[in-house]
Amino acid sequence: MKFFIDTANLQQISEANDLGVLDGVTTNPSLMAKEGITGHDNVIKHYLAICNMVTGDVSAEVISTDFAGIVKEGEALAALHPQIVVKVPMIKEGVKALKYFTDKGIKTNCTLVFSAGQALLAAKAGATYVSPFIGRLDDVSTDGMRLIEDIRTIYDNYGYQTQILAASVRHAMHIIHCAQAGADVATCPLSAILDLLKHPLTDIGLAKFLADHAKGK
Ligand code: E4P
């Protein structure tokens, strides 16, 4: 399973990248705003800064909601850097745009996916990635992981090549369950990735090994 980091924070992207396990980055307008990145030119500069820090795919989200606007924005984003993946919302005009981008060879990430039917449409339109938001489903008493499992079954039934990019990941167990369910990618906060490291027996074991080694000095 690929690990993407779900942030626009350059320091966190750098820390995840230094760990050597980072395969890409996802952003959205809220994550950009959280870092104080506003205005078209600043947002574009920030995407380029991210692309220059990592080697994998970097999702850049369109703001338009009409077909012509999504296409214009998406083509401009894709032209910025070969690592850019155009992030398109799961709306009617978005599905049309996904198909357009697919035909043009432009990589896409279909975002704001909350049902298997939406994921099926994204795959039919040829999306490179589909982003089911598991945490936001859990927030409304709906099993986000069940959606990942359902999409995996549907895609495997027909051999759809669209990659399942589990989004809205909130904690380490989400990452484990995504891997068990066969998600292709999990996009995670840095904290959830680092939490995978933790086990008290590792800490206790290491302290003992170091203490025993020190006895011989
Ligand atoms: C990533 O592509 C999504 O935009 C993001 O994971 C949403 O996460 P949130 O539900 O924590 O805002």
Side-chain angles (χ1 to χ4, degrees), residues 6 26-28 30-31 59 61 87 109 111 131 133 135-136 139 165-170 187:
D6 194 26
T26 52
T27 63
N28 64 37
S30 303
L31 292 171
S59 287
E61 189 157 341
K87 205 171 177 191
N109 174 356
T111 189
S131 286
F133 278 34
R136 291 193 196 184
D139 289 346
L165 194 172
S168 190
V169 166
R170 301 276 162 80
T187 188

Short mmCIF file of all heavy atoms in Angstrom, two decimals, residues 6 26-28 30-31 59 61 87 109 111 131 133 135-136 139 165-170 187, ligand 1:
data_model
loop_
_atom_site.label_atom_id
_atom_site.label_comp_id
_atom_site.label_asym_id
_atom_site.label_seq_id
_atom_site.Cartn_x
_atom_site.Cartn_y
_atom_site.Cartn_z
N ASP A 6 -1.34 13.77 3.90
CA ASP A 6 -2.52 14.59 3.64
C ASP A 6 -2.36 15.94 4.32
O ASP A 6 -2.92 16.18 5.39
CB ASP A 6 -3.73 13.83 4.21
CG ASP A 6 -5.07 14.38 3.74
OD1 ASP A 6 -5.11 14.97 2.65
OD2 ASP A 6 -6.08 14.18 4.46
N THR A 26 -1.42 14.60 -0.80
CA THR A 26 -2.74 15.12 -1.18
C THR A 26 -2.96 16.44 -0.44
O THR A 26 -2.52 16.60 0.71
CB THR A 26 -3.89 14.16 -0.83
OG1 THR A 26 -3.79 13.76 0.53
CG2 THR A 26 -3.86 12.92 -1.72
N THR A 27 -3.61 17.35 -1.13
CA THR A 27 -3.99 18.63 -0.51
C THR A 27 -5.45 18.88 -0.85
O THR A 27 -6.03 18.17 -1.67
CB THR A 27 -3.16 19.79 -1.09
OG1 THR A 27 -3.46 19.90 -2.50
CG2 THR A 27 -1.67 19.58 -0.92
N ASN A 28 -6.03 19.84 -0.18
CA ASN A 28 -7.36 20.33 -0.57
C ASN A 28 -7.41 21.80 -0.18
O ASN A 28 -6.51 22.30 0.52
CB ASN A 28 -8.48 19.47 0.04
CG ASN A 28 -8.52 19.53 1.56
OD1 ASN A 28 -8.28 20.59 2.15
ND2 ASN A 28 -8.81 18.41 2.21
N SER A 30 -9.03 23.39 2.01
CA SER A 30 -9.04 23.62 3.46
C SER A 30 -7.63 23.45 4.04
O SER A 30 -7.21 24.22 4.91
CB SER A 30 -10.00 22.65 4.15
OG SER A 30 -11.29 22.78 3.62
N LEU A 31 -6.91 22.44 3.55
CA LEU A 31 -5.54 22.22 4.04
C LEU A 31 -4.63 23.38 3.62
O LEU A 31 -3.74 23.79 4.39
CB LEU A 31 -4.99 20.89 3.49
CG LEU A 31 -5.65 19.61 4.02
CD1 LEU A 31 -5.17 18.37 3.25
CD2 LEU A 31 -5.36 19.43 5.52
N SER A 59 -1.66 15.74 -5.41
CA SER A 59 -3.03 16.11 -5.82
C SER A 59 -3.26 17.60 -5.62
O SER A 59 -3.01 18.13 -4.54
CB SER A 59 -4.07 15.33 -5.00
OG SER A 59 -4.11 13.99 -5.39
N GLU A 61 -6.35 20.43 -6.15
CA GLU A 61 -7.81 20.42 -6.33
C GLU A 61 -8.33 21.62 -7.11
O GLU A 61 -7.92 22.76 -6.87
CB GLU A 61 -8.48 20.36 -4.95
CG GLU A 61 -9.98 20.11 -5.01
CD GLU A 61 -10.52 19.51 -3.71
OE1 GLU A 61 -9.73 18.94 -2.91
OE2 GLU A 61 -11.73 19.61 -3.50
N LYS A 87 -7.37 17.06 -8.93
CA LYS A 87 -8.38 16.55 -7.99
C LYS A 87 -9.73 17.17 -8.35
O LYS A 87 -9.88 18.40 -8.34
CB LYS A 87 -7.94 16.93 -6.58
CG LYS A 87 -8.47 16.03 -5.50
CD LYS A 87 -7.78 16.37 -4.19
CE LYS A 87 -8.31 15.56 -3.05
NZ LYS A 87 -7.83 16.06 -1.75
N ASN A 109 -7.76 12.58 -9.56
CA ASN A 109 -8.14 12.04 -8.26
C ASN A 109 -9.58 12.51 -8.01
O ASN A 109 -9.82 13.71 -7.87
CB ASN A 109 -7.18 12.56 -7.18
CG ASN A 109 -7.58 12.18 -5.77
OD1 ASN A 109 -8.63 11.57 -5.56
ND2 ASN A 109 -6.77 12.57 -4.81
N THR A 111 -12.51 13.24 -5.81
CA THR A 111 -12.59 13.48 -4.37
C THR A 111 -14.03 13.60 -3.89
O THR A 111 -14.96 13.68 -4.70
CB THR A 111 -11.77 14.74 -4.00
OG1 THR A 111 -11.69 14.84 -2.57
CG2 THR A 111 -12.39 16.01 -4.55
N SER A 131 -11.11 8.84 -4.12
CA SER A 131 -10.86 9.15 -2.71
C SER A 131 -12.11 9.00 -1.85
O SER A 131 -12.89 9.95 -1.68
CB SER A 131 -10.34 10.59 -2.57
OG SER A 131 -9.01 10.68 -2.99
N PHE A 133 -13.85 9.06 1.65
CA PHE A 133 -13.51 9.79 2.88
C PHE A 133 -13.95 8.96 4.09
O PHE A 133 -15.07 9.12 4.59
CB PHE A 133 -14.22 11.14 2.90
CG PHE A 133 -13.54 12.24 2.12
CD1 PHE A 133 -12.84 11.97 0.95
CD2 PHE A 133 -13.62 13.55 2.55
CE1 PHE A 133 -12.23 12.99 0.23
CE2 PHE A 133 -13.01 14.59 1.85
CZ PHE A 133 -12.32 14.31 0.68
N GLY A 135 -12.96 8.79 7.36
CA GLY A 135 -13.15 9.44 8.66
C GLY A 135 -14.46 10.22 8.72
O GLY A 135 -15.17 10.18 9.73
N ARG A 136 -14.79 10.91 7.64
CA ARG A 136 -16.04 11.70 7.65
C ARG A 136 -17.26 10.78 7.68
O ARG A 136 -18.31 11.17 8.19
CB ARG A 136 -16.09 12.63 6.43
CG ARG A 136 -15.08 13.74 6.51
CD ARG A 136 -15.32 14.85 5.50
NE ARG A 136 -14.14 15.67 5.36
CZ ARG A 136 -14.05 16.76 4.62
NH1 ARG A 136 -15.11 17.16 3.94
NH2 ARG A 136 -12.93 17.45 4.55
N ASP A 139 -17.59 9.70 11.21
CA ASP A 139 -18.13 10.82 12.00
C ASP A 139 -19.66 10.84 12.02
O ASP A 139 -20.26 11.40 12.93
CB ASP A 139 -17.66 12.17 11.41
CG ASP A 139 -16.18 12.41 11.65
OD1 ASP A 139 -15.58 11.72 12.48
OD2 ASP A 139 -15.62 13.32 10.98
N LEU A 165 -7.79 5.35 -3.07
CA LEU A 165 -6.97 6.23 -2.24
C LEU A 165 -7.79 6.57 -0.99
O LEU A 165 -8.63 7.47 -1.04
CB LEU A 165 -6.60 7.48 -3.04
CG LEU A 165 -5.51 8.42 -2.57
CD1 LEU A 165 -5.21 9.46 -3.66
CD2 LEU A 165 -5.79 9.10 -1.27
N ALA A 166 -7.61 5.81 0.07
CA ALA A 166 -8.40 6.05 1.28
C ALA A 166 -8.03 7.42 1.85
O ALA A 166 -6.86 7.69 2.14
CB ALA A 166 -8.12 4.96 2.30
N ALA A 167 -9.03 8.28 1.99
CA ALA A 167 -8.81 9.65 2.48
C ALA A 167 -9.57 9.87 3.77
O ALA A 167 -10.33 9.01 4.21
CB ALA A 167 -9.26 10.65 1.41
N SER A 168 -9.33 11.05 4.36
CA SER A 168 -9.95 11.36 5.66
C SER A 168 -9.56 10.30 6.69
O SER A 168 -10.37 9.88 7.51
CB SER A 168 -11.48 11.46 5.48
OG SER A 168 -12.11 11.98 6.60
N VAL A 169 -8.30 9.89 6.60
CA VAL A 169 -7.73 8.92 7.55
C VAL A 169 -7.40 9.69 8.83
O VAL A 169 -6.80 10.76 8.77
CB VAL A 169 -6.46 8.28 6.94
CG1 VAL A 169 -5.66 7.54 7.99
CG2 VAL A 169 -6.84 7.37 5.78
N ARG A 170 -7.80 9.14 9.97
CA ARG A 170 -7.65 9.91 11.21
C ARG A 170 -6.62 9.33 12.18
O ARG A 170 -6.14 10.02 13.06
CB ARG A 170 -9.00 9.99 11.93
CG ARG A 170 -10.10 10.65 11.13
CD ARG A 170 -10.05 12.17 11.26
NE ARG A 170 -10.80 12.83 10.22
CZ ARG A 170 -12.12 12.98 10.21
NH1 ARG A 170 -12.83 12.52 11.21
NH2 ARG A 170 -12.71 13.61 9.22
N THR A 187 -3.99 8.13 2.38
CA THR A 187 -3.41 9.45 2.59
C THR A 187 -3.69 9.85 4.03
O THR A 187 -4.83 9.84 4.48
CB THR A 187 -3.90 10.49 1.56
OG1 THR A 187 -3.11 11.68 1.76
CG2 THR A 187 -5.38 10.82 1.63
C1 E4P B 1 -7.74 14.18 0.97
O1 E4P B 1 -7.61 13.99 -0.19
C2 E4P B 1 -8.98 14.68 1.60
O2 E4P B 1 -9.27 15.96 1.13
C3 E4P B 1 -8.78 14.67 3.09
O3 E4P B 1 -8.27 13.40 3.45
C4 E4P B 1 -10.02 15.01 3.89
O4 E4P B 1 -9.74 14.77 5.25
P1 E4P B 1 -10.62 15.35 6.45
O5 E4P B 1 -11.92 14.64 6.44
O6 E4P B 1 -9.81 15.05 7.68
O7 E4P B 1 -10.80 16.83 6.20
#
